[in-house]
């Protein structure tokens, strides 16, 4: 039998998984949520969520994948034969597939914005009205955003087609360090702007009254921890299955979460000082990066270069995540359905492109009025995955590990057969058994407006 592919080294595994975690979620979603939920107070609660829930769940998913040694669904069949727990893996795979159907569209926009910034579209004559119109006109243009989306999907497919070591691991090892360097350069530039300290205050000086003004703050923080760490969608299970046995999962999960969080905070350091310096609103919502920031680049010295760098950064972040999402589906088609990597990549990539067409068209007049449960295709896909699929999949995982799987076997997997005697492993089990299930149920009820 052909040997199953895997990561070549510890550093390769960490970089690929960190690449998956660091995505549009860190640089686009995190700053605008932070802006809407009052800044520093949200950051503190978010950090707590990463520690209490994110890290334990990441360790758990890695353990399931490594123990099972197969794709996100078959791994469950291996460790819990003749049960239905594999359905949670299947749900994660479905989530990854659906997420790609809209995430790729946003990723495509980042390519267009590289072109915009590089060709000096964001020059000194730009105004907030113009950047708004530019964004609206582009995303609703029909063909153009679809072309960019396809280019992005093509890149994603090319990397995944090349396999784990030569594709995903290599791409992450190259893209992630460049991304980090660009981020630091941009942060320094942003901190040099007049009035930058206001932005830093917003980011680091907590104001809990604005945080608690919104009822769902804590839940949004938890939901974003899931999103940002790529949990509940089979990614970490799949990557766990490519992880060498001697790797200490707790240490790896901490490294990845720390990197992911540092990058999100650094994105805040890039964005908020600039936003405050130019007198823009931090609570802009999803338009913060595509509508507000171009004004900043238009008005600042060196804006053409820094703007181009910013959107390159965003597209790299997106690419290291789309490859991990596609790998979840591809590995399922290989391990469970017996396809070759090449056909698995082509088939899943092709189907995802079709979904992308619908979500892209739903941003404009073509399909704007076509709604599912009152939402456009784009919003619907985002909603069902982030609020339902991820949570149900993660809930089933913790239920299985915390209450049905043999504790001894799980502990064996996360302690390197008893070598690791740290309290972290006990904490992981406690969190998996009690904290995470309770939090997910609450999150689910509130997120879906059931109370
Ligand atoms: N964790 C990545 C991000 O924050 O962008 C990738 C990702 C995870 C995207 C989960 C979408 C998602 F629902």
């Amino acid at each position: 039998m052909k040997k199953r592919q895997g990561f070549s080294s510890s550093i390769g595994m960490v970089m690929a998984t960190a690449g998956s975690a660091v995505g549009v979620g860190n640089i686009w979603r995190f700053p605008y949520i932070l802006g809407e939920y009052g800044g520093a107070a949200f950051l503190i609660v978010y950090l707590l969520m990463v520690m209490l829930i994110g890290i334990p769940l990441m360790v758990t998913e890695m353990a399931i994948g490594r123990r099972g040694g197969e794709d996100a669904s078959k791994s469950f069949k291996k460790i819990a034969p003749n049960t239905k727990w594999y359905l949670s893996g299947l749900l994660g795979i479905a989530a990854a597939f659906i997420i790609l159907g809209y995430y790729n569209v946003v990723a495509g926009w980042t390519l267009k914005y590289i072109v915009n910034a590089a060709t000096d579209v964001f020059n000194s004559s730009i105004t907030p009205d113009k950047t708004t119109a530019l964004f609206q006109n582009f995303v609703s243009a029909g063909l153009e955003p679809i072309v960019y989306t396809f280019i992005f999907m093509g890149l994603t497919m090319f990397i995944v087609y090349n396999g784990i070591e030569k594709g995903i691991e290599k791409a992450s090892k190259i893209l992630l360090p460049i991304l980090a360097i660009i981020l630091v350069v941009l942060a320094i530039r942003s901190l040099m702007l007049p009035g930058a300290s206001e932005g830093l205050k917003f980011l680091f000086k907590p104001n809990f009254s604005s945080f608690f003004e919104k009822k769902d703050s804590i839940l949004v923080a938890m939901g974003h921890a899931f999103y940002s760490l790529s949990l509940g969608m089979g990614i970490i299970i799949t990557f766990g299955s490519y992880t060498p046995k001697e790797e200490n999962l707790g240490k790896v999960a901490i490294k990845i979460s720390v990197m992911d969080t540092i990058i999100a905070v650094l994105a805040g350091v890039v964005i908020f000082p600039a936003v405050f310096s130019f007198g823009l609103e931090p609570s802009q919502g999803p338009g913060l990066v595509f509508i507000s920031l171009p004004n900043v680049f238009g008005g600042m010295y060196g804006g053409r270069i820094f703007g181009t760098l910013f959107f390159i950064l965003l597209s790299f972040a997106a690419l290291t995540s789309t490859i991990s999402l596609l790998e979840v589906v591809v590995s399922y088609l290989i391990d469970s359905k017996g396809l070759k990597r090449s056909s698995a990549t082509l088939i899943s990539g092709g189907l995802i492109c079709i979904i992308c067409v619908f979500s892209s068209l739903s941003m404009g007049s073509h399909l704007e009025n076509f709604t599912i449960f009152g939402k456009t295709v784009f919003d619907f896909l985002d909603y069902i995955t982030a609020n339902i699929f991820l949570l149900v999949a993660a809930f089933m995982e913790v239920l299985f590990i915390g209450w049905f799987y043999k504790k001894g076997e799980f502990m064996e997997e996360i302690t390197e057969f008893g070598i690791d005697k740290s309290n972290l492993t006990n904490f992981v089990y406690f969190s998996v058994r009690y904290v995470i299930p309770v939090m997910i149920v609450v999150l689910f009820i509130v997120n879906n407006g059931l109370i």
Side-chain angles (χ1 to χ4, degrees):
M1 208 177 94
K2 216 172 131 230
K3 192 171 162 283
R4 196 165 180 272
Q5 293 198 16
F7 294 118
S8 72
S9 61
S10 167
I11 182 92
M13 185 270 163
V14 171
M15 292 297 256
T17 316
S20 168
V22 173
V24 170
N26 302 57
I27 294 158
W28 170 66
R29 198 172 191 263
F30 182 71
Y32 85 68
I33 299 184
L34 204 72
E36 287 178 345
Y37 284 84
F42 182 87
L43 179 61
I44 294 173
V45 178
Y46 175 74
L47 293 179
L48 275 175
M49 290 300 161
V50 168
M51 288 187 277
L52 296 180
I53 291 172
I55 294 177
L57 192 54
M58 187 176 274
V59 172
T60 304
E61 293 199 349
M62 284 176 180
I64 294 172
R66 188 165 71 176
R67 195 88 180 169
E70 302 278 352
D71 68 67
S73 155
K74 203 170 168 190
S75 283
F76 282 95
K77 287 189 177 166
K78 275 278 170 73
I79 60 176
N82 306 319
T83 64
K84 296 265 176 257
W85 292 110
Y86 73 92
L87 289 175
S88 84
L90 219 47
L91 204 60
I93 297 167
F97 182 78
I98 298 172
I99 288 169
L100 273 172
Y102 76 88
Y103 196 83
N104 246 304
V105 176
V106 182
W109 300 345
T110 67
L111 293 183
K112 167 71 179 179
Y113 270 65
I114 297 177
V115 177
N116 278 348
T119 52
D120 215 12
V121 172
F122 310 135
N123 54 34
S124 53
S125 71
I126 203 95
T127 60
D129 284 346
K130 280 193 202 161
T131 54
T132 309
L134 202 74
F135 180 71
Q136 296 298 356
N137 291 342
F138 167 64
V139 298
S140 60
L143 188 62
E144 199 188 358
I146 293 178
V147 171
Y148 279 106
T149 302
F150 280 11
I151 297 175
F152 206 93
M153 193 62 199
L155 283 173
T156 306
M157 287 163 70
F158 175 74
I159 296 171
V160 170
Y161 170 81
N162 277 300
I164 310 304
E165 199 183 324
K166 295 205 185 71
I168 296 177
E169 186 177 323
K170 193 166 159 200
S172 304
K173 272 186 185 160
I174 298 171
L175 297 177
L176 209 55
I178 301 179
L179 180 153
I181 293 169
I182 298 180
L183 204 54
V184 172
V185 170
L186 290 172
I188 294 171
R189 178 67 186 100
S190 194
L191 289 174
M192 281 160 45
L193 292 168
S197 58
E198 277 308 303
L200 285 185
K201 245 190 242 158
F202 178 77
L203 191 57
F204 296 117
K205 196 160 165 259
N207 170 359
F208 279 96
S209 62
S210 67
F211 179 78
F212 285 114
E213 255 167 37
K214 293 208 166 136
K215 278 210 320 257
D216 59 348
S217 309
I218 296 178
L219 302 157
V220 171
M222 175 173 154
H224 188 71
F226 273 51
Y227 191 101
S228 193
L229 296 173
S230 298
L231 298 168
M233 67 206 80
I235 297 178
I236 306 296
I237 300 182
T238 308
F239 280 15
S241 76
Y242 301 137
T243 301
K245 281 282 174 212
E246 49 292 346
E247 205 62 63
N248 181 304
L249 300 183
K251 283 191 191 137
V252 169
I254 291 176
K255 273 187 211 159
I256 293 162
S257 308
V258 168
M259 278 204 238
D260 187 65
T261 308
I262 290 179
I263 299 231
V265 173
L266 263 180
V269 175
V270 172
I271 292 170
F272 291 112
V275 164
F276 277 89
S277 172
F278 281 78
L280 301 165
E281 257 306 305
S283 54
Q284 263 276 322
L288 187 64
V289 160
F290 291 104
I291 298 175
S292 306
L293 279 193
N295 291 292
V296 171
F297 299 129
M300 85 186 188
Y301 182 73
R304 187 169 174 180
I305 294 181
F306 291 112
T308 311
L309 279 177
F310 179 82
F311 288 107
I312 291 179
L313 161 83
L314 196 54
S315 65
F316 280 10
L319 188 58
T320 51
S321 297
T322 52
I323 53 182
S324 69
L325 284 160
L326 185 61
E327 178 60 27
V328 172
V329 185
V330 166
S331 79
Y332 168 70
L333 293 178
I334 297 174
D335 292 340
S336 288
K337 300 285 163 205
L339 261 61
K340 285 210 302 264
R341 177 165 286 271
S342 50
S343 19
T345 311
L346 274 178
I347 293 172
S348 51
L351 291 174
I352 288 161
C353 280
I354 298 176
I355 305 181
C356 287
V357 170
F358 286 99
S359 32
S360 184
L361 289 179
S362 76
M363 302 298 295
S365 53
H366 308 83
L367 274 183
E368 207 172 29
N369 298 324
F370 173 77
T371 54
I372 312 171
F373 295 114
K375 294 188 187 324
T376 63
V377 176
F378 188 103
D379 291 342
F380 177 72
L381 299 184
D382 182 30
Y383 186 85
I384 54 162
T385 46
N387 293 321
I388 299 175
F389 281 41
L390 305 191
L391 297 186
V392 176
F395 183 69
M396 286 172 73
E397 276 163 27
V398 286
L399 209 60
F400 165 59
I401 293 292
W403 297 89
F404 292 91
Y405 192 56
K406 282 200 207 79
K407 181 178 178 189
E409 297 211 6
F410 178 67
M411 295 309 277
E412 228 173 65
E413 192 63 37
I414 67 171
T415 58
E416 316 307 305
F417 289 84
I419 297 176
D420 180 353
K421 298 216 166 30
S422 69
N423 282 329
L424 176 70
T425 53
N426 293 325
F427 166 68
V428 166
Y429 194 72
F430 177 79
S431 176
V432 165
R433 199 165 149 91
Y434 302 105
V435 184
I436 305 178
V438 172
M439 290 294 287
I440 292 180
V441 170
V442 176
L443 182 65
F444 190 79
I445 292 175
V446 176
N447 252 8
N448 293 299
L450 302 179
I451 50 167

